Amino acid sequence: MVALIPVGIAGSGSYMPEKVLSNEDLERMVNTSDEWIRDRTGISERRIAAADEDSGSMGARAAERALADAGVDAADVDLLLCATTTPDMPFPATACHIQEHIGAMSAGGFDINSACSGFVFAFNTAVQYVATGAYRNVLVVGTEKLSTITNWEDRDTCVIFGDGAGAMLLRPLDDAGRGEVVSTSMHIKGGNDDVLSVPAGGSRRPASVETVTAREHTMRMGGSKVYRFAVSTFVRLVRDSLEEHGLDQLGMIVPHQVNQRIIESALEKLDLPREAAWSIIDRVGNTAAASIPMTFDDAYRNDALPKGKLICNIAFGAGLSWGHFLVRW
Ligand code: UT7
Protein backbone atom coordinates (compact mmCIF):
# COMPACT_ATOMS: atom_id res chain seq x y z
CA MET A 1 0.00 0.00 0.00
CA VAL A 2 1.22 3.54 -0.80
CA ALA A 3 1.95 5.57 2.33
CA LEU A 4 0.03 8.80 1.86
CA ILE A 5 1.79 12.11 2.34
CA PRO A 6 -0.09 14.77 4.42
CA VAL A 7 -1.12 17.69 2.18
CA GLY A 8 -1.26 21.41 3.05
CA ILE A 9 -2.28 24.74 1.53
CA ALA A 10 0.94 26.66 0.84
CA GLY A 11 -0.58 29.73 -0.80
CA SER A 12 -3.84 31.49 -1.55
CA GLY A 13 -4.76 34.27 -3.97
CA SER A 14 -7.74 35.85 -5.68
CA TYR A 15 -8.63 38.38 -8.33
CA MET A 16 -11.67 40.62 -8.80
CA PRO A 17 -12.20 42.52 -12.04
CA GLU A 18 -12.31 46.29 -11.65
CA LYS A 19 -15.76 47.04 -13.01
CA VAL A 20 -18.51 47.13 -10.36
CA LEU A 21 -22.11 46.45 -11.36
CA SER A 22 -24.34 47.75 -8.56
CA ASN A 23 -27.95 46.93 -7.79
CA GLU A 24 -28.78 50.47 -8.90
CA ASP A 25 -27.19 49.71 -12.28
CA LEU A 26 -29.40 46.59 -12.53
CA GLU A 27 -32.50 48.66 -11.70
CA ARG A 28 -31.85 50.45 -15.00
CA MET A 29 -31.54 47.15 -16.91
CA VAL A 30 -34.40 44.96 -15.63
CA ASN A 31 -37.54 45.31 -13.52
CA THR A 32 -35.91 44.90 -10.10
CA SER A 33 -34.94 46.97 -7.06
CA ASP A 34 -31.95 47.34 -4.82
CA GLU A 35 -34.21 46.45 -1.89
CA TRP A 36 -35.44 43.18 -3.49
CA ILE A 37 -31.94 42.05 -4.39
CA ARG A 38 -30.51 42.84 -0.93
CA ASP A 39 -33.44 41.24 0.93
CA ARG A 40 -33.59 38.07 -1.17
CA THR A 41 -29.88 37.49 -1.84
CA GLY A 42 -27.72 39.75 0.34
CA ILE A 43 -25.95 41.04 -2.79
CA SER A 44 -25.17 44.77 -3.17
CA GLU A 45 -22.81 44.63 -6.11
CA ARG A 46 -20.86 42.22 -8.28
CA ARG A 47 -17.78 42.50 -10.49
CA ILE A 48 -17.89 42.23 -14.28
CA ALA A 49 -14.81 41.32 -16.30
CA ALA A 50 -13.59 43.69 -18.99
CA ALA A 51 -14.02 42.74 -22.65
CA ASP A 52 -10.32 41.87 -22.93
CA GLU A 53 -10.39 39.67 -19.81
CA ASP A 54 -11.37 36.01 -19.86
CA SER A 55 -11.45 33.16 -17.37
CA GLY A 56 -7.86 32.30 -18.25
CA SER A 57 -6.43 35.77 -17.70
CA MET A 58 -8.37 36.28 -14.44
CA GLY A 59 -7.35 32.81 -13.23
CA ALA A 60 -3.74 33.68 -14.01
CA ARG A 61 -3.89 36.81 -11.83
CA ALA A 62 -5.25 34.78 -8.91
CA ALA A 63 -2.68 32.03 -9.52
CA GLU A 64 0.20 34.52 -9.46
CA ARG A 65 -1.01 35.81 -6.11
CA ALA A 66 -1.27 32.29 -4.67
CA LEU A 67 2.26 31.49 -5.88
CA ALA A 68 3.62 34.75 -4.44
CA ASP A 69 1.91 33.92 -1.13
CA ALA A 70 3.57 30.49 -1.11
CA GLY A 71 6.93 31.85 -2.29
CA VAL A 72 6.99 29.34 -5.16
CA ASP A 73 8.02 30.10 -8.76
CA ALA A 74 5.59 29.37 -11.57
CA ALA A 75 8.34 27.36 -13.23
CA ASP A 76 8.18 24.90 -10.30
CA VAL A 77 4.46 24.12 -10.65
CA ASP A 78 4.06 20.42 -11.50
CA LEU A 79 0.32 20.32 -12.13
CA LEU A 80 -2.27 23.02 -12.88
CA LEU A 81 -5.98 22.26 -12.46
CA CYS A 82 -8.54 24.79 -13.59
CA ALA A 83 -12.15 24.64 -12.40
CA THR A 84 -14.48 26.65 -14.60
CA THR A 85 -17.95 26.65 -16.10
CA THR A 86 -16.92 29.39 -18.53
CA PRO A 87 -13.77 28.13 -20.27
CA ASP A 88 -12.02 30.51 -22.66
CA MET A 89 -12.91 28.11 -25.51
CA PRO A 90 -14.46 24.62 -25.79
CA PHE A 91 -10.82 23.57 -26.19
CA PRO A 92 -7.92 23.77 -25.51
CA ALA A 93 -8.25 23.60 -21.75
CA THR A 94 -8.21 26.96 -19.97
CA ALA A 95 -5.44 25.40 -17.85
CA CYS A 96 -3.23 25.75 -20.97
CA HIS A 97 -4.03 29.48 -21.17
CA ILE A 98 -3.28 29.99 -17.48
CA GLN A 99 -0.04 28.05 -17.88
CA GLU A 100 1.03 30.36 -20.69
CA HIS A 101 0.01 33.55 -18.83
CA ILE A 102 2.00 32.69 -15.70
CA GLY A 103 4.85 30.78 -17.34
CA ALA A 104 4.29 27.46 -15.57
CA MET A 105 5.82 25.70 -18.52
CA SER A 106 6.79 22.48 -16.70
CA ALA A 107 3.25 21.83 -15.50
CA GLY A 108 0.79 19.26 -16.74
CA GLY A 109 -2.85 20.21 -16.37
CA PHE A 110 -6.49 20.04 -17.30
CA ASP A 111 -9.88 21.61 -16.64
CA ILE A 112 -12.59 20.35 -14.32
CA ASN A 113 -16.20 21.41 -14.81
CA SER A 114 -18.64 20.75 -12.04
CA ALA A 115 -20.31 24.15 -11.97
CA CYS A 116 -20.33 25.74 -8.49
CA SER A 117 -18.70 22.62 -6.97
CA GLY A 118 -15.86 22.76 -9.51
CA PHE A 119 -13.18 24.21 -7.26
CA VAL A 120 -13.87 21.74 -4.45
CA PHE A 121 -13.68 18.86 -6.95
CA ALA A 122 -10.43 20.22 -8.45
CA PHE A 123 -8.95 20.74 -4.98
CA ASN A 124 -9.89 17.18 -4.00
CA THR A 125 -8.32 15.87 -7.21
CA ALA A 126 -5.15 17.86 -6.52
CA VAL A 127 -4.94 16.37 -3.02
CA GLN A 128 -4.66 12.86 -4.50
CA TYR A 129 -1.63 13.80 -6.60
CA VAL A 130 0.23 15.41 -3.71
CA ALA A 131 -0.74 12.68 -1.22
CA THR A 132 0.58 9.89 -3.45
CA GLY A 133 3.84 11.75 -4.08
CA ALA A 134 3.11 12.03 -7.82
CA TYR A 135 3.53 15.84 -7.73
CA ARG A 136 4.88 18.36 -5.19
CA ASN A 137 3.43 21.70 -6.35
CA VAL A 138 -0.15 21.56 -7.53
CA LEU A 139 -1.90 24.79 -8.45
CA VAL A 140 -5.70 24.79 -8.28
CA VAL A 141 -7.57 27.66 -9.91
CA GLY A 142 -11.29 28.48 -9.88
CA THR A 143 -12.24 31.14 -12.40
CA GLU A 144 -15.44 32.38 -14.00
CA LYS A 145 -16.62 34.95 -16.50
CA LEU A 146 -20.28 34.22 -15.78
CA SER A 147 -21.28 37.55 -17.32
CA THR A 148 -20.85 35.81 -20.71
CA ILE A 149 -23.51 33.17 -19.95
CA THR A 150 -25.94 35.51 -18.16
CA ASN A 151 -29.16 36.64 -19.79
CA TRP A 152 -29.11 40.33 -18.94
CA GLU A 153 -32.85 40.58 -19.62
CA ASP A 154 -33.78 37.86 -17.12
CA ARG A 155 -34.19 39.34 -13.64
CA ASP A 156 -34.45 35.86 -12.07
CA THR A 157 -30.78 35.18 -12.78
CA CYS A 158 -28.89 38.33 -13.79
CA VAL A 159 -28.95 39.83 -10.28
CA ILE A 160 -27.16 36.82 -8.77
CA PHE A 161 -23.97 36.15 -10.68
CA GLY A 162 -20.56 37.84 -10.99
CA ASP A 163 -17.04 37.34 -12.37
CA GLY A 164 -13.77 36.62 -10.58
CA ALA A 165 -11.07 34.08 -9.78
CA GLY A 166 -9.30 32.40 -6.88
CA ALA A 167 -6.41 29.98 -6.52
CA MET A 168 -4.55 27.81 -4.03
CA LEU A 169 -1.20 26.06 -4.18
CA LEU A 170 -1.13 22.61 -2.56
CA ARG A 171 2.15 21.05 -1.39
CA PRO A 172 3.19 18.30 0.99
CA LEU A 173 2.37 19.57 4.49
CA ASP A 174 6.05 19.66 5.44
CA ASP A 175 6.65 22.26 2.71
CA ALA A 176 3.33 24.08 3.06
CA GLY A 177 3.58 24.38 6.83
CA ARG A 178 -0.17 25.02 7.26
CA GLY A 179 -3.64 24.12 6.10
CA GLU A 180 -3.49 20.36 6.58
CA VAL A 181 -6.15 18.62 4.50
CA VAL A 182 -8.20 16.48 6.90
CA SER A 183 -11.00 15.14 4.69
CA THR A 184 -12.64 15.62 1.29
CA SER A 185 -15.84 14.54 -0.47
CA MET A 186 -17.41 14.79 -3.94
CA HIS A 187 -20.92 13.82 -5.10
CA ILE A 188 -23.01 14.21 -8.23
CA LYS A 189 -26.64 13.44 -8.98
CA GLY A 190 -27.64 13.63 -12.64
CA GLY A 191 -31.13 14.12 -14.01
CA ASN A 192 -31.33 17.68 -12.76
CA ASP A 193 -30.72 19.79 -15.85
CA ASP A 194 -33.96 21.64 -15.10
CA VAL A 195 -32.54 22.96 -11.84
CA LEU A 196 -29.62 24.83 -13.38
CA SER A 197 -28.02 24.58 -16.82
CA VAL A 198 -26.96 26.31 -20.01
CA PRO A 199 -29.07 24.36 -22.52
CA ALA A 200 -27.18 25.08 -25.77
CA GLY A 201 -23.63 25.34 -27.03
CA GLY A 202 -22.62 21.75 -26.33
CA SER A 203 -22.91 18.58 -28.44
CA ARG A 204 -26.54 18.02 -27.46
CA ARG A 205 -27.68 21.36 -28.80
CA PRO A 206 -24.96 23.01 -30.84
CA ALA A 207 -24.98 26.73 -31.56
CA SER A 208 -27.41 27.78 -34.28
CA VAL A 209 -29.34 30.90 -35.20
CA GLU A 210 -32.30 29.44 -33.27
CA THR A 211 -30.34 28.79 -30.07
CA VAL A 212 -28.79 32.24 -30.15
CA THR A 213 -32.14 33.94 -30.81
CA ALA A 214 -33.74 32.02 -27.93
CA ARG A 215 -30.77 32.91 -25.65
CA GLU A 216 -30.20 29.24 -24.92
CA HIS A 217 -26.51 29.93 -24.33
CA THR A 218 -27.34 31.58 -21.03
CA MET A 219 -28.16 30.13 -17.62
CA ARG A 220 -31.61 28.67 -16.89
CA MET A 221 -32.39 28.23 -13.23
CA GLY A 222 -35.16 26.84 -11.08
CA GLY A 223 -34.25 29.25 -8.26
CA SER A 224 -36.45 27.77 -5.54
CA LYS A 225 -35.25 24.20 -6.25
CA VAL A 226 -31.64 25.39 -5.95
CA TYR A 227 -32.60 27.16 -2.74
CA ARG A 228 -34.00 24.06 -1.01
CA PHE A 229 -31.17 21.83 -2.25
CA ALA A 230 -28.55 24.37 -1.14
CA VAL A 231 -29.88 24.76 2.42
CA SER A 232 -30.19 21.02 3.10
CA THR A 233 -26.83 20.21 1.45
CA PHE A 234 -25.04 22.97 3.39
CA VAL A 235 -26.34 21.53 6.66
CA ARG A 236 -25.49 17.93 5.72
CA LEU A 237 -21.94 18.73 4.53
CA VAL A 238 -21.09 20.62 7.72
CA ARG A 239 -22.62 17.95 9.99
CA ASP A 240 -21.04 15.00 8.17
CA SER A 241 -17.57 16.48 7.81
CA LEU A 242 -17.38 17.57 11.46
CA GLU A 243 -19.03 14.49 12.95
CA GLU A 244 -15.86 12.75 14.05
CA HIS A 245 -14.19 15.98 15.24
CA GLY A 246 -17.02 17.78 17.05
CA LEU A 247 -18.53 21.16 16.26
CA ASP A 248 -16.27 22.77 18.89
CA GLN A 249 -13.33 22.12 16.53
CA LEU A 250 -14.90 24.34 13.87
CA GLY A 251 -12.94 27.53 13.18
CA MET A 252 -14.79 28.81 10.13
CA ILE A 253 -17.15 27.67 7.39
CA VAL A 254 -16.17 28.86 3.93
CA PRO A 255 -19.38 28.23 1.98
CA HIS A 256 -20.14 28.63 -1.68
CA GLN A 257 -21.50 32.17 -1.95
CA VAL A 258 -24.89 31.11 -3.21
CA ASN A 259 -27.21 33.53 -1.46
CA GLN A 260 -26.88 35.12 1.99
CA ARG A 261 -30.36 33.92 2.96
CA ILE A 262 -29.38 30.34 2.14
CA ILE A 263 -26.21 30.68 4.22
CA GLU A 264 -28.06 32.15 7.20
CA SER A 265 -30.93 29.69 7.04
CA ALA A 266 -28.46 26.77 7.06
CA LEU A 267 -26.51 28.29 9.97
CA GLU A 268 -29.74 28.62 11.92
CA LYS A 269 -30.52 24.93 11.37
CA LEU A 270 -27.00 24.08 12.58
CA ASP A 271 -27.50 26.31 15.62
CA LEU A 272 -24.46 28.34 14.61
CA PRO A 273 -24.10 32.14 14.70
CA ARG A 274 -23.92 34.27 11.56
CA GLU A 275 -20.15 34.76 12.13
CA ALA A 276 -19.52 31.01 11.77
CA ALA A 277 -19.47 31.40 7.96
CA TRP A 278 -17.31 33.86 6.04
CA SER A 279 -19.22 35.81 3.44
CA ILE A 280 -18.25 38.13 0.60
CA ILE A 281 -21.46 37.75 -1.38
CA ASP A 282 -22.52 41.38 -0.80
CA ARG A 283 -19.51 42.52 -2.87
CA VAL A 284 -19.13 39.78 -5.50
CA GLY A 285 -22.39 37.83 -5.86
CA ASN A 286 -22.27 34.18 -6.86
CA THR A 287 -19.07 33.41 -8.79
CA ALA A 288 -19.63 29.62 -9.17
CA ALA A 289 -16.28 27.78 -9.34
CA ALA A 290 -14.39 30.89 -8.20
CA SER A 291 -16.56 31.33 -5.12
CA ILE A 292 -14.76 29.10 -2.59
CA PRO A 293 -11.16 30.23 -3.30
CA MET A 294 -12.21 33.91 -3.44
CA THR A 295 -14.04 33.60 -0.12
CA PHE A 296 -11.22 31.60 1.49
CA ASP A 297 -8.68 34.17 0.30
CA ASP A 298 -10.71 37.03 1.73
CA ALA A 299 -10.97 35.29 5.11
CA TYR A 300 -7.25 34.44 5.00
CA ARG A 301 -6.16 37.97 4.15
CA ASN A 302 -8.42 39.37 6.88
CA ASP A 303 -6.73 37.02 9.38
CA ALA A 304 -10.12 35.42 10.09
CA LEU A 305 -9.06 31.75 9.93
CA PRO A 306 -8.43 30.62 13.53
CA LYS A 307 -5.12 28.78 13.93
CA GLY A 308 -5.35 25.12 14.92
CA LYS A 309 -9.08 24.98 14.12
CA LEU A 310 -10.95 23.29 11.28
CA ILE A 311 -11.93 25.29 8.20
CA CYS A 312 -14.91 23.66 6.48
CA ASN A 313 -15.12 24.52 2.78
CA ILE A 314 -18.42 23.46 1.21
CA ALA A 315 -19.86 23.80 -2.27
CA PHE A 316 -23.02 22.73 -4.10
CA GLY A 317 -24.52 23.51 -7.47
CA ALA A 318 -25.61 22.33 -10.89
CA GLY A 319 -25.47 18.64 -11.68
CA LEU A 320 -26.57 18.39 -8.99
CA SER A 321 -23.13 18.38 -7.42
CA TRP A 322 -21.79 18.90 -3.93
CA GLY A 323 -18.68 18.31 -1.84
CA HIS A 324 -16.32 19.61 0.80
CA PHE A 325 -12.74 19.85 1.96
CA LEU A 326 -11.85 20.21 5.59
CA VAL A 327 -8.48 21.68 6.57
CA ARG A 328 -6.82 22.29 9.91
CA TRP A 329 -5.40 25.82 9.72
O1 UT7 B 1 -24.89 28.35 -7.26
C1 UT7 B 1 -26.19 28.00 -7.57
C2 UT7 B 1 -26.83 29.10 -8.40
N1 UT7 B 1 -28.15 29.41 -7.99
C3 UT7 B 1 -28.43 30.36 -7.08
O2 UT7 B 1 -27.57 30.99 -6.55
C4 UT7 B 1 -29.90 30.62 -6.81
C5 UT7 B 1 -30.43 30.11 -5.53
N2 UT7 B 1 -31.79 30.62 -5.36
C6 UT7 B 1 -32.00 31.86 -4.90
O3 UT7 B 1 -31.06 32.54 -4.57
C7 UT7 B 1 -33.44 32.34 -4.81
O4 UT7 B 1 -34.33 31.29 -5.13
C8 UT7 B 1 -33.69 33.55 -5.74
C9 UT7 B 1 -32.90 34.75 -5.24
C10 UT7 B 1 -33.29 33.23 -7.18
C11 UT7 B 1 -35.16 33.91 -5.74
O5 UT7 B 1 -35.59 34.20 -4.43
P1 UT7 B 1 -36.97 33.64 -3.90
O6 UT7 B 1 -37.18 34.20 -2.57
O7 UT7 B 1 -36.91 32.14 -4.06
O8 UT7 B 1 -37.99 34.32 -4.89
P2 UT7 B 1 -39.04 33.62 -5.86
O9 UT7 B 1 -38.31 32.92 -6.97
O10 UT7 B 1 -40.00 32.84 -5.03
O11 UT7 B 1 -39.76 34.86 -6.46
C12 UT7 B 1 -40.54 35.75 -5.66
C13 UT7 B 1 -41.04 36.88 -6.55
C14 UT7 B 1 -41.61 36.42 -7.88
O12 UT7 B 1 -42.70 37.25 -8.18
P3 UT7 B 1 -44.20 36.73 -7.94
O13 UT7 B 1 -44.34 35.53 -8.83
O14 UT7 B 1 -44.27 36.40 -6.48
O15 UT7 B 1 -45.03 37.89 -8.36
C15 UT7 B 1 -40.51 36.72 -8.87
O16 UT7 B 1 -41.00 36.96 -10.17
O17 UT7 B 1 -39.94 37.75 -6.88
C16 UT7 B 1 -39.90 37.97 -8.30
N3 UT7 B 1 -38.53 38.19 -8.71
C17 UT7 B 1 -37.95 39.40 -8.67
N4 UT7 B 1 -38.40 40.60 -8.31
C18 UT7 B 1 -37.56 41.64 -8.37
C19 UT7 B 1 -37.62 37.29 -9.16
N5 UT7 B 1 -36.45 37.89 -9.42
C20 UT7 B 1 -36.64 39.21 -9.14
C21 UT7 B 1 -35.80 40.33 -9.18
N6 UT7 B 1 -36.30 41.53 -8.79
N7 UT7 B 1 -34.51 40.27 -9.59
Side-chain angles (χ1 to χ4, degrees):
M1 203 176 94
V2 184
L4 293 183
I5 298 163
V7 182
I9 299 174
S12 160
S14 61
Y15 171 75
M16 290 201 277
E18 247 173 59
K19 186 182 169 194
V20 173
L21 184 72
S22 68
N23 291 349
E24 289 75 17
D25 294 329
L26 282 164
E27 282 177 354
R28 290 187 283 275
M29 295 161 66
V30 289
N31 180 16
T32 191
S33 68
D34 173 47
E35 192 191 356
W36 191 96
I37 302 171
R38 276 180 207 261
D39 282 358
R40 300 291 180 122
T41 71
I43 302 168
S44 305
E45 58 186 41
R46 67 290 291 146
R47 298 298 179 102
I48 303 294
D52 63 352
E53 286 183 305
D54 50 35
S55 295
S57 64
M58 290 190 289
R61 300 286 296 275
E64 282 164 350
R65 289 172 185 172
L67 287 169
D69 184 44
V72 171
D73 285 342
D76 294 327
V77 173
D78 301 308
L79 183 68
L80 197 170
L81 302 185
C82 173
T84 186
T85 320
T86 48
D88 293 350
M89 302 174 180
F91 70 86
T94 302
C96 299
H97 295 171
I98 296 174
Q99 178 202 42
E100 191 197 0
H101 282 301
I102 67 174
M105 301 320 283
S106 307
F110 51 91
D111 288 1
I112 286 181
N113 176 354
S114 205
C116 300
S117 307
F119 184 84
V120 166
F121 286 19
F123 182 102
N124 295 357
T125 306
V127 168
Q128 312 307 313
Y129 286 103
V130 181
T132 54
Y135 295 115
R136 283 188 81 74
N137 296 320
V138 182
L139 189 55
V140 191
V141 180
T143 182
E144 297 284 13
K145 192 174 176 181
L146 294 175
S147 55
T148 57
I149 57 165
T150 298
N151 179 351
W152 292 104
E153 291 179 5
D154 174 19
R155 69 175 184 176
D156 288 346
T157 51
C158 76
V159 301
I160 293 171
F161 300 99
D163 299 334
M168 293 184 195
L169 184 77
L170 302 194
R171 306 186 83 189
L173 185 62
D174 283 350
D175 297 335
R178 61 184 171 180
E180 180 179 11
V181 180
V182 174
S183 68
T184 64
S185 71
M186 304 194 265
H187 307 273
I188 57 171
K189 188 178 179 200
N192 285 291
D193 293 356
D194 60 321
V195 179
L196 190 56
S197 66
V198 175
S203 60
R204 185 179 288 182
R205 203 156 160 68
S208 67
V209 172
E210 287 73 30
T211 62
V212 172
T213 308
R215 295 181 189 263
E216 290 180 47
H217 300 271
T218 59
M219 284 180 276
R220 303 291 160 91
M221 185 176 76
S224 56
K225 283 187 190 163
V226 181
Y227 197 101
R228 287 193 299 274
F229 160 69
V231 173
S232 59
T233 306
F234 185 126
V235 171
R236 192 153 30 98
L237 283 170
V238 172
R239 275 204 187 122
D240 290 356
S241 62
L242 286 163
E243 195 176 12
E244 64 180 275
H245 308 281
L247 261 185
D248 59 322
Q249 284 297 300
L250 177 65
M252 181 67 72
I253 299 170
V254 176
H256 170 43
Q257 303 292 293
V258 60
N259 174 328
Q260 189 59 26
R261 266 170 63 219
I262 291 175
I263 295 173
E264 286 177 16
S265 151
L267 289 174
E268 209 178 299
K269 288 187 194 318
L270 287 161
D271 222 2
L272 288 170
R274 158 76 198 78
E275 303 72 45
W278 198 254
S279 183
I280 59 170
I281 196 166
D282 60 322
R283 288 173 282 144
V284 300
N286 180 338
T287 57
S291 169
I292 292 279
M294 286 175 79
T295 310
F296 183 97
D297 193 52
D298 193 76
Y300 166 57
R301 286 174 194 267
N302 280 290
D303 225 2
L305 302 176
K307 303 247 173 348
K309 291 280 191 174
L310 294 170
I311 314 302
C312 184
N313 303 269
I314 53 170
F316 28 78
L320 300 170
S321 61
W322 65 100
H324 89 285
F325 60 90
L326 191 66
V327 298
R328 192 172 291 281
W329 195 243

